[in-house]
Amino acid sequence: MEEIKTPKRPIIYYMLIVVVAMLILNLFVMPRLMNRQFEETSYSEFLDMLENGKIKEVEIQEKQILFMDKSDPARYYVTGIMDDPDLINRLDAAGVTFTATIEQEASPWMTLLLGYVVPLLIFMVVGRLLMNSLMKRMGGEGLGGNMLTFGKSNAKIYVQSTDGIRFSDVAGEDEAKELLSEIVDYLHNPGRYAEIGANIPKGALLVGPPGTGKTLLAKAVAGEANVPFFSISGSDFVEMFVGMGAAKVRDLFKQANEKAPCIIFIDEIDTIGKKRDGLSGIGGNDEREQTLNQLLSEMDGFNASKGVIILGATNRPDSLDPALLRPGRFDRRIPVELPDLQGRVDILKVHAKKVKMGDNVDFDAIARMAVGASGAELANMINEAALRAVRAGRRFVTQADLEESVEVVIAGYQKKNAILSDKEKRIVAYHEIGHALVAALQSHSAPVTKITIIPRTSGALGYTMQVDEDEHNLMSKEEIENKIATLTGGRIAEDLIFHSITTGASNDIEQATKLARAMVTRFGMTEEFGMVALETVSNQYLGGDASLACSPDTSTAIDKKVIEVVRTQYEKAENLLKTHMKELNGLANYLYDHETITGDEFMGLLEQMKVPAEPAAAAEPTSAAAETTAPAEQTESKTE
Ligand code: ADP
Ligand code: MG
Ligand code: ZN
């Protein structure tokens, strides 16, 4: 292999440099350093010093006199010799010692040490460091095991709970915890499983959207299991040079085998486990494929009875190579889904333990508001609330802090000094009341809980929040249709009142289109297409990219149908609003004045204003039944 040879040449260069440097050092630098430096003085100066008794030792040579200062023995002087017959007497009189030689050179041992040994040691240390970094970049194997740390997996080893995270720190996710505790249990007493002859899975894959606690769960497993825990991220395997990632995988499993029973955790495994696409050779796929192949063969190569269990985590399970998912490898799939209502309450409570909470806090209400929030977002909400309490100079967190923090996480911070012109503010008020009114006038719509026209940093100029009373996992056709109608309400209100339309509805349009499209292509809710999947969704945990799976003709028909679905709902909503213009005006003015109103205020005002004899007011009482799955609040992003 080419890349194995390359590092040898730098070694030769380095050695050459060392030899040259040593030569220079010993031929030129050392003699100067080692020889004492003699200051040149005049003969008269010498005599002066001699008379004043400042000289300690003297050496008379053929052409010069070397002498040593008495007060400062490190100072040497040299002076030319003069024809001075009295010299000996003078020296005698001054009581100066004669020596044959004032040592000019340090001892030979010293020379050897300073000239060769020390520099050589320095060069060796520097060389080692250089080689180290070189190896890291070069990659490849075969330079011999003692070749420094190259190819090491860099896996962090947690032995027991280093950061003290236990299963109790992970709220909700009971199924995942149950499956994982089985693994922990196996590692604690493998004998019980062996007795029956049960095989413990070799690998388990934690799958779910970002921020749902996959990494957290793995850490909790490390905390619960009394075994070494190797943790490494998939991206750590991605290297510039072919073969390097594979070497790391090999090393990781070697280490793990030595430490068995143990757990290997590979986070973000999709970085190395992506489907092999047969396009190798083009670009950098070679490296990734080699790494994956190595991982596959290592997973096959060891015997689970030894007690090495592999955990993986990913939010892109559909992009994983099928070979990775077959039985005997990651044969257990542990879904880590977004928390349900109870899960959200529990997660809020877990994180609330770390901050001081007021007595009035109702976690249930907060959890209801935070539909669709992940564990990470909920943790963030608690923290935002704590920050808000500090800013307000309070010593504990109140319900209002939490409510505001939910909105911060959903819609961004309030833009206190954003300047809306009076006209714009009025338009936004009508827009939001348009949404709220359509929602309130339909059955199967989540009740409105808050309407606000205070701009947020996310770009929303206002929003209407709807919160369900119960958790629902299914959404009926009527609910989706009503939701689309509600989404169109904002634009309709603008149009009805101001006879002009704005960019403010762009986000509504996007959401409505998505829903209508899904009705047609994925939910089988139209007569024309029936129960046919016309789109496939990939990346379901990361927003979901839908790709069409039908002929171009069908695709055109789908587009037509989508437009029709939205238009029908638009007309329905328009009729509702047209027959409730009085309410629309009254409520919008009220919102304009108050900027934020609660759902109760809204419903109260609506009841007061309702014209009893309106025949077209097809408003059944707002029922408790309502939608979910999709986030129940709408945010208006306004392009600016
Ligand atoms: P991911 O699934 O993307 O790996 P993490 O495990 O990194 O998510 O979660 C990020 C943070 O969110 C955690 O550190 C924790 O504070 C919080 N969190 C997420 N899920 C939960 C949960 N079920 N219980 C408690 N906290 C959670
Ligand atoms: Mg993670
Ligand atoms: Zn809107």
Side-chain angles (χ1 to χ4, degrees):
M1 281 165 90
E2 204 58 54
E3 31 326 315
I4 292 171
K5 284 181 189 151
T6 24
K8 284 198 175 146
R9 282 176 62 190
I11 294 178
I12 292 167
Y13 288 138
Y14 185 69
M15 279 158 124
L16 269 176
I17 291 170
V18 170
V19 169
V20 171
M22 296 277 285
L23 276 176
I24 291 174
L25 187 72
N26 281 289
L27 288 182
F28 303 105
V29 183
M30 284 306 283
R32 280 172 188 256
L33 274 180
M34 295 306 291
N35 283 354
R36 307 251 157 84
Q37 297 295 304
F38 291 87
E39 280 176 43
E40 280 195 33
T41 45
S42 63
Y43 197 74
S44 57
E45 179 94 359
F46 166 64
L47 291 180
D48 252 12
M49 287 176 77
L50 193 62
E51 255 152 47
N52 295 330
K54 282 186 181 162
I55 295 179
K56 197 175 164 209
E57 273 177 41
V58 164
E59 182 193 339
I60 300 167
Q61 295 182 339
E62 221 172 303
K63 284 187 178 148
Q64 57 186 10
I65 301 172
L66 306 176
F67 59 98
M68 193 199 273
D69 198 326
K70 201 177 213 165
S71 52
D72 184 0
R75 272 176 94 171
Y76 295 85
Y77 299 88
V78 60
T79 182
I81 208 151
M82 299 269 288
D83 189 15
D84 183 358
D86 268 351
L87 180 61
I88 306 296
N89 293 337
R90 278 185 228 264
L91 290 171
D92 239 356
V96 174
T97 348
F98 291 68
T99 46
T101 47
I102 289 178
E103 245 180 293
Q104 279 193 39
E105 286 187 30
S107 77
W109 285 113
M110 197 65 174
T111 318
L112 195 69
L113 195 70
L114 288 180
Y116 294 92
V117 180
V118 171
L120 216 60
L121 279 176
I122 293 173
F123 279 125
M124 270 162 70
V125 169
V126 172
R128 224 184 157 82
L129 291 176
L130 274 178
M131 282 296 135
N132 240 347
S133 61
L134 203 66
M135 290 298 142
K136 265 192 190 138
R137 279 188 289 137
M138 298 308 296
E141 222 206 355
L143 282 161
N146 56 352
M147 260 311 187
L148 320 168
T149 59
F150 124 88
K152 281 269 153 63
S153 62
N154 304 331
K156 272 179 270 164
I157 305 181
Y158 298 106
V159 183
Q160 295 183 22
S161 53
T162 35
D163 25 15
I165 293 172
R166 312 298 295 250
F167 276 148
S168 56
D169 294 309
V170 187
E173 309 299 349
D174 292 329
E175 303 86 355
K177 278 199 272 187
E178 202 180 307
L179 287 166
L180 288 170
S181 49
E182 188 185 317
I183 288 175
V184 171
D185 184 56
Y186 166 76
L187 291 170
H188 284 175
N189 20 245
R192 252 186 34 207
Y193 291 79
E195 230 165 68
I196 300 187
N199 272 339
I200 199 78
K202 264 190 195 177
L205 195 61
L206 297 162
V207 173
T212 45
K214 298 183 294 298
T215 309
L216 191 71
L217 272 167
K219 282 188 187 156
V221 171
E224 298 281 339
N226 268 320
V227 297
F229 186 84
F230 295 83
S231 166
I232 189 162
S233 175
S235 58
D236 292 342
F237 291 114
V238 180
E239 294 285 342
M240 192 143 64
F241 292 95
V242 178
M244 187 70 182
K248 281 188 171 183
V249 172
R250 227 180 339 245
D251 178 71
L252 175 65
F253 280 83
K254 203 173 127 239
Q255 284 188 53
N257 260 321
E258 285 160 9
K259 292 258 161 59
C262 67
I263 296 171
I264 299 176
F265 174 52
I266 306 177
D267 206 355
E268 315 289 350
I269 196 167
D270 45 286
T271 18
I272 48 168
K274 262 192 222 122
K275 280 195 186 89
R276 288 162 291 183
D277 49 11
L279 288 173
S280 63
I282 304 167
N285 280 346
D286 259 359
E287 160 66 0
R288 223 192 55 221
E289 280 192 14
Q290 277 205 19
T291 311
L292 176 56
N293 285 334
Q294 188 67 40
L295 180 66
L296 295 176
S297 70
E298 291 289 349
M299 286 190 79
D300 284 342
F302 72 85
N303 184 339
S305 65
K306 248 193 121 173
V308 181
I309 286 177
I310 307 169
L311 291 181
T314 180
N315 39 39
R316 311 191 48 196
D318 48 340
S319 75
L320 288 181
D321 197 281
L324 207 50
L325 300 172
R326 77 138 166 80
R329 291 188 184 132
F330 285 112
D331 42 7
R332 234 347 123 94
R333 200 177 165 121
I334 303 180
V336 186
E337 295 289 346
L338 287 174
D340 57 8
L341 180 60
Q342 191 53 47
R344 292 198 297 275
V345 172
D346 292 342
I347 294 172
L348 284 171
K349 281 184 181 158
V350 162
H351 288 277
K353 273 191 214 140
K354 296 170 210 154
V355 298
K356 285 209 182 73
M357 287 280 161
D359 306 328
N360 68 338
V361 172
D362 178 1
F363 289 111
D364 198 67
I366 303 299
R368 266 175 218 285
M369 283 172 75
V371 181
S374 67
E377 280 167 325
L378 292 165
N380 188 16
M381 282 170 193
I382 295 281
N383 192 50
E384 278 296 333
L387 293 177
R388 188 172 182 267
V390 172
R391 254 180 263 134
R394 255 178 282 106
R395 290 173 170 269
F396 54 88
V397 174
T398 63
Q399 182 79 4
D401 290 331
L402 281 166
E403 278 171 12
E404 171 61 22
S405 73
V406 173
E407 289 176 52
V408 165
V409 172
I410 290 170
Y413 291 94
Q414 287 188 1
K415 273 203 270 187
K416 288 259 165 53
N417 44 6
I419 300 160
L420 277 190
S421 72
D422 193 58
K423 174 90 186 286
E424 276 178 339
K425 199 173 150 189
R426 209 167 277 283
I427 293 175
V428 177
Y430 271 98
H431 180 108
E432 295 309 328
I433 292 296
H435 284 308
L437 205 51
V438 173
L441 295 174
Q442 297 175 117
S443 57
H444 305 302
S445 240
V448 173
T449 47
K450 182 171 179 176
I451 312 166
T452 170
I453 53 169
I454 297 170
R456 296 266 165 180
T457 47
S458 66
L461 296 180
Y463 60 86
T464 302
M465 190 185 252
Q466 289 172 272
V467 175
D468 290 303
E469 254 141 51
D470 310 294
E471 280 276 294
H472 286 240
N473 296 306
L474 292 174
M475 221 169 153
S476 71
K477 185 179 172 192
E478 289 70 38
E479 281 163 1
I480 301 184
E481 283 174 345
N482 287 354
K483 201 166 157 98
I484 296 173
T486 304
L487 285 165
T488 60
R491 158 66 59 87
I492 296 168
E494 286 179 36
D495 196 17
L496 285 178
I497 305 296
F498 301 97
H499 306 292
S500 87
I501 51 181
T502 68
T503 53
S506 64
N507 188 260
D508 302 333
I509 293 170
E510 202 182 309
Q511 287 191 49
T513 312
K514 236 188 213 164
L515 281 172
R517 198 169 185 89
M519 278 177 79
V520 179
T521 60
R522 286 162 47 206
F523 303 149
M525 285 178 174
T526 51
E527 298 249 317
E528 289 90 325
F529 298 98
M531 283 180 59
V532 176
L534 299 166
E535 259 179 1
T536 51
V537 177
S538 54
N539 252 342
Q540 54 160 329
Y541 292 129
L542 299 173
D545 312 322
S547 46
L548 276 179
C550 58
S551 72
D553 285 351
T554 318
S555 162
T556 315
I558 291 172
D559 291 339
K560 276 206 189 103
K561 184 69 196 172
V562 169
I563 294 170
E564 188 195 312
V565 168
V566 176
R567 182 156 290 152
T568 311
Q569 294 313 311
Y570 185 97
E571 277 156 15
K572 184 175 98 186
E574 194 172 25
N575 279 334
L576 280 176
L577 287 183
K578 271 185 178 158
T579 48
H580 292 81
M581 288 300 271
K582 192 171 151 241
E583 288 90 333
L584 179 62
N585 279 313
L587 287 163
N589 283 327
Y590 188 83
L591 178 62
Y592 175 85
D593 291 335
H594 291 76
E595 296 196 338
T596 300
I597 57 177
T598 65
D600 291 340
E601 266 178 279
F602 173 79
M603 289 313 289
L605 284 166
L606 186 59
E607 287 305 318
Q608 281 173 29
M609 277 188 272
K610 236 178 205 165
V611 187
E614 194 90 54
E620 301 132 58
T622 339
S623 82
E627 73 219 36
T628 59
T629 58
E633 84 292 328
Q634 284 107 36
T635 33
E636 269 67 68
S637 348
K638 307 234 166 182
T639 34
E640 276 162 86

